[in-house]
Amino acid sequence: RSHECADYLGPVEITVINECKGRGLRATKEIKAGELVLVSKAICMLYEGITKLSEIENRILHEKELLLDIYSLYAGPELKHIERNEPGYDYSKIDLHRLEKAFILNNFTNGPHSGCFYDTGARPKSNGLWFYPSFINHSCFECNCFWSVYGDVMFVRACRDIAVGDEILISYCKSIGVTYNEKVQLFNRFGFDCTCTLCEMDKKDEENNNGIHERRNQLLEQVKSLETSDAIVPVIQQLEKLSEGQNPMYLVDPYYDLGLAYSDEEKYVQAAEAMTKAYQLITGTAVSQHVILILIWNIIHELVKAGDDDSMQKARVWVSTMKNEAKIVFGKNSDNVLSTATEFIAFLRQYDIEF
């Protein structure tokens, strides 16, 4: 669905980051976690993989500014981007090859896992091309912003405080549930190499050829097939040992699965503890803020089901944490958005917990 919405560009500017990365966005003022960085309406949307690049061509015939925007985007190493109004360039001819490459290398997926540039899971509902977001570079771990799409409008918010001069970074892929090899395939597809903390750890494992990746993937698959906490705990202990000094994000899903197993066994305190471990790994990272809110809700639910005084007090603390995380997701409207969660609020009030 198309929405009428004006673009908004916060305190950021397009600049050359370095020779390797090329261009990106940098903060020109301090940006606090939860603040809006930019709002952008899509240049075009492709639904369910149906190619409609002809629509861009038709618009370009009547909107020269649109042509200048798209030609200024990265279109691969063989096609250098064209500066706006570059002297001597013939703008009267539309380069369909350049249009296609610009879309392939800059589009965002708006699907079941919106918030990921590329999703290795379910087939996307739609893909879109946005101008300013196309300049935001990737980091799996050091990213400081997250994005969400409503219809054809993208919102980019800071998920942590950003200092003047810091580069604006998002994650092009999910931080959890994706193997290192899957991420490398994605990075190769777009012609870059991620040097974030997590990828450097994984890269070192690969170079040492110590078999950690293969063993870890086997254990992760094993956890998915187990149903009881007694069966899952020993596997997680092996994963924890493998993760010493390595990438700890692979433990998020196992901790959460352990929490679900404890919950099924009515061991609610242990369930909350396991899920808390998952939260501690993902807070402040590239993981979708919406996922973080759902995880916090599950922790609160387990603590309330436990029912003892200590658990109820912890549940109240987690409610405050949820409100703070919601401000990052929804900004100034967070209280209004949360007030619509009537079933959740009613559930908490049964136990004298105000939301």
Side-chain angles (χ1 to χ4, degrees):
R1 181 182 175 184
S2 178
H3 296 280
E4 292 303 320
C5 179
D7 282 6
Y8 163 76
L9 186 65
V12 296
E13 64 179 358
I14 300 173
T15 185
V16 175
I17 303 300
N18 55 46
E19 186 177 344
C20 182
K21 279 189 172 183
R23 297 168 300 167
L25 294 186
R26 281 195 190 280
T28 57
K29 294 182 179 179
E30 183 180 283
I31 304 173
K32 293 294 184 181
E35 286 187 15
L36 198 59
V37 175
L38 63 85
V39 178
S40 182
K41 187 174 174 64
I43 295 173
C44 72
M45 299 288 292
L46 306 186
Y47 293 94
E48 294 294 346
I50 300 174
T51 302
K52 294 183 179 179
L53 289 178
S54 57
E55 292 183 4
I56 306 179
E57 185 179 0
N58 292 334
R59 287 184 59 194
I60 285 173
L61 294 174
H62 302 92
E63 302 176 45
K64 183 183 176 182
E65 287 299 312
L66 179 63
L67 177 66
L68 297 179
D69 282 348
I70 298 176
Y71 277 14
S72 67
L73 299 179
Y74 176 72
E78 74 282 1
L79 293 173
K80 181 185 175 183
H81 74 272
I82 300 170
E83 298 291 349
R84 296 176 70 85
N85 297 314
E86 186 168 310
Y89 190 83
D90 184 4
Y91 288 97
S92 64
K93 297 179 181 179
I94 298 176
D95 188 342
L96 291 178
H97 177 60
R98 179 178 289 278
L99 290 181
E100 183 177 10
K101 292 291 289 185
F103 184 88
I104 290 173
L105 295 173
N106 294 282
N107 80 88
F108 288 75
T109 295
N110 176 28
H113 302 284
S114 181
C116 293
F117 181 84
Y118 174 76
D119 195 325
T120 56
R123 181 183 179 185
K125 287 176 58 180
S126 62
N127 293 66
L129 180 65
W130 287 266
F131 180 67
Y132 282 109
S134 295
F135 291 94
I136 305 178
N137 288 317
H138 163 87
S139 175
C140 299
F141 191 66
E142 279 83 21
C143 67
N144 48 28
C145 291
F146 74 100
W147 59 273
S148 53
V149 173
Y150 300 91
D152 61 347
V153 180
M154 180 183 293
F155 297 81
V156 178
R157 287 187 183 274
C159 62
R160 61 180 71 172
D161 292 345
I162 302 173
V164 177
D166 282 357
E167 183 182 4
I168 304 301
L169 296 167
I170 60 174
S171 178
Y172 291 178
C173 61
K174 294 185 290 183
S175 297
I176 55 177
V178 181
T179 67
Y180 175 65
N181 288 334
E182 286 176 325
K183 290 198 292 185
V184 168
Q185 290 174 16
L186 168 65
F187 302 153
N188 289 340
R189 173 183 170 189
F190 292 101
F192 72 92
D193 182 27
C194 182
T195 57
C196 78
T197 303
L198 297 184
C199 284
E200 286 300 301
M201 288 180 177
D202 285 337
K203 194 181 300 180
K204 188 176 294 184
D205 293 344
E206 194 81 1
E207 290 171 351
N208 292 340
N209 194 27
N210 53 19
I212 287 181
H213 284 172
E214 184 178 351
R215 179 58 180 153
R216 184 168 57 199
N217 290 339
Q218 290 173 350
L219 292 171
L220 289 171
E221 287 300 317
Q222 187 177 346
V223 170
K224 294 177 184 178
S225 66
L226 301 175
E227 297 181 356
T228 67
S229 60
D230 286 343
I232 296 174
V233 167
V235 181
I236 286 183
Q237 289 173 341
Q238 294 181 64
L239 283 166
E240 288 173 334
K241 189 173 182 179
L242 281 178
S243 296
E244 292 177 0
Q246 310 299 327
N247 182 348
M249 294 295 286
Y250 294 101
L251 286 164
V252 173
D253 280 344
Y255 283 145
Y256 185 71
D257 290 340
L258 177 59
L260 294 178
Y262 277 134
S263 182
D264 289 341
E265 297 163 5
E266 299 184 0
K267 299 175 181 177
Y268 303 123
V269 173
Q270 292 96 321
E273 290 174 348
M275 292 179 182
T276 297
K277 288 183 178 181
Y279 170 81
Q280 290 169 341
L281 287 175
I282 66 177
T283 183
T285 69
V287 174
S288 167
Q289 298 298 127
H290 297 84
V291 172
I292 292 176
L293 289 178
I294 293 171
L295 178 56
I296 294 174
W297 152 242
N298 284 324
I299 293 171
I300 294 171
H301 196 251
E302 298 303 325
L303 289 169
V304 170
K305 285 191 293 185
D308 60 275
D309 290 343
D310 184 55
S311 294
M312 298 302 283
Q313 182 57 36
K314 288 179 179 178
R316 291 183 175 88
V317 173
W318 277 108
V319 167
S320 297
T321 301
M322 177 180 249
K323 288 182 177 180
N324 291 332
E325 293 284 2
K327 289 178 182 177
I328 296 176
V329 179
F330 304 112
K332 296 178 181 179
N333 294 321
S334 62
D335 288 342
N336 291 333
V337 174
L338 291 177
S339 68
T340 63
T342 53
E343 291 185 13
F344 177 50
I345 294 172
F347 170 77
L348 292 178
R349 283 179 178 168
Q350 292 179 43
Y351 302 92
D352 297 322
I353 299 177
E354 288 300 319
F355 188 65

